[in-house]
Amino acid sequence: MSTTKKNWPKLPLGIRLLIAAHSMSVDAFSRNDGSAVNRRLMNLFDPKASPSRKPDNGVVSSDIVVDTTRKLWFRLYSNTTTAGKMFIPIVVYFHGGGFAYMAANSMSYDDLCKRLARELPAVVVSVNYRLSPEHRYPSQYEDGFDVLKFIDNPDFEGFSAFGNTDTSSNKAFFIAGDSAGGNLAHHVALKACQHPFSRLKLHGVIALQPFFGGEERTESELKLAGAPLISVKRTDWMWKAFLPHGYNRDHQVVNVFGPNSVDISDLPFPPTLVFIGGFDPLQDWQRKYVEGLNKSGKHVYKIEYPNAFHGFYAFPQLPDTSLLMAEIKNFVLKQLDQ
């Protein structure tokens, strides 16, 4: 039996309207066969924020181009109050949106990354990767890893310019992301943990309601068919638009601990923090992810919010969002102390 609207957590009217508008635009402007998204119309429902050289509650930002041919760039955030301090961690962040929607400069992600930079504090690198279906797997993973190599290059001086004066050989960094960005965080971290960086050291992965799946229908997918933002119909479309033609949802990048998965037991995969919401249809896949990491001998920490829907962290006024920020900060500090 699916969950009806009267079973959902009570949300302020403004949040309900934003969720309805986003859901409507995703359905209306995406071709049913997963072959195209009307970007021009979709952008009307995805307002963008400009970088801010002037401090916004202590945070400044700028856009850095990595590759003009791919239109690959990232937004760099830093807390101005940390200027001159040592050992400020770097958080490389991947936005959500089912691999097909949103951007690093989407207003909601600009606000979220500013908050991360402000409250951790940290230097945040928010990656604007290519979107599907125009660019299918593995484009997004390639973009993510190429940004890591770009910021690892000693010629990149952006960290010192934004107040990170850590001159040690290894700069501590975390890979984070939400929804599809959480999937990206996992797979980019798999590659990063095997790469000999010149000045970066990976300390952890932070996955906010990561987007995983498979051919089977889980109990939460069926029970929460009418939940806000995410539905089986939408996630099926997203995987169809993302995967190469001819592959199904048991592909190893979707069902990461499924029948076609890669054994990561011998890899130095870092400690991982996973957030799960009780009104997220993807929650069973997220628990399978936690279980898979545990069985592979990796350190994983699970935080659950029973009344949280998918994408709740985009709304700073929700109490669970503040709790999430505190948990991220605790995780980062704990890993830095190791």
Side-chain angles (χ1 to χ4, degrees), residues 35-209:
S35 64
V37 173
N38 189 322
R39 298 292 177 197
R40 183 175 61 84
L41 293 178
M42 192 70 204
N43 284 337
L44 297 176
F45 293 84
D46 180 19
K48 303 299 195 295
S50 299
S52 177
R53 289 285 187 180
K54 183 179 179 180
D56 180 358
N57 289 325
V59 175
V60 292
S61 60
S62 66
D63 292 342
I64 309 294
V65 175
V66 177
D67 185 344
T68 56
T69 62
R70 283 182 279 172
K71 297 181 180 179
L72 175 60
W73 57 273
F74 61 84
R75 181 160 290 179
L76 185 65
Y77 300 85
S78 186
N79 187 331
T80 57
T81 65
T82 65
K85 295 182 180 179
M86 303 287 285
F87 309 121
I88 304 303
I90 300 160
V91 175
V92 178
Y93 194 88
F94 297 106
H95 68 81
F99 302 104
Y101 310 104
M102 312 300 284
N105 59 347
S106 293
M107 194 168 292
S108 58
Y109 283 108
D110 188 66
D111 290 341
L112 179 62
C113 288
K114 283 178 182 175
R115 188 168 182 179
L116 286 170
R118 183 182 305 117
E119 295 189 18
L120 292 184
V123 173
V124 178
V125 173
S126 182
V127 181
N128 196 71
Y129 55 85
R130 288 171 289 176
L131 299 178
S132 62
E134 298 92 334
H135 305 281
R136 294 173 180 265
Y137 165 83
S139 300
Q140 294 77 9
Y141 302 138
E142 292 171 346
D143 289 351
F145 192 70
D146 283 349
V147 167
L148 293 187
K149 291 189 293 183
F150 183 89
I151 64 175
D152 185 54
N153 191 321
D155 290 338
F156 175 63
E157 300 178 349
F159 298 137
S160 59
F162 275 73
N164 190 333
T165 59
D166 180 4
T167 57
S168 66
S169 59
N170 292 320
K171 294 180 181 292
F173 82 103
F174 295 79
I175 301 178
D178 68 285
S179 194
N183 177 298
L184 268 166
H186 170 79
H187 289 290
V188 173
L190 276 179
K191 194 168 184 178
C193 73
Q194 304 172 72
H195 183 77
F197 290 107
S198 64
R199 62 173 184 168
L200 295 177
K201 182 178 180 181
L202 180 59
H203 279 250
V205 173
I206 303 165
L208 285 62
Q209 299 179 299

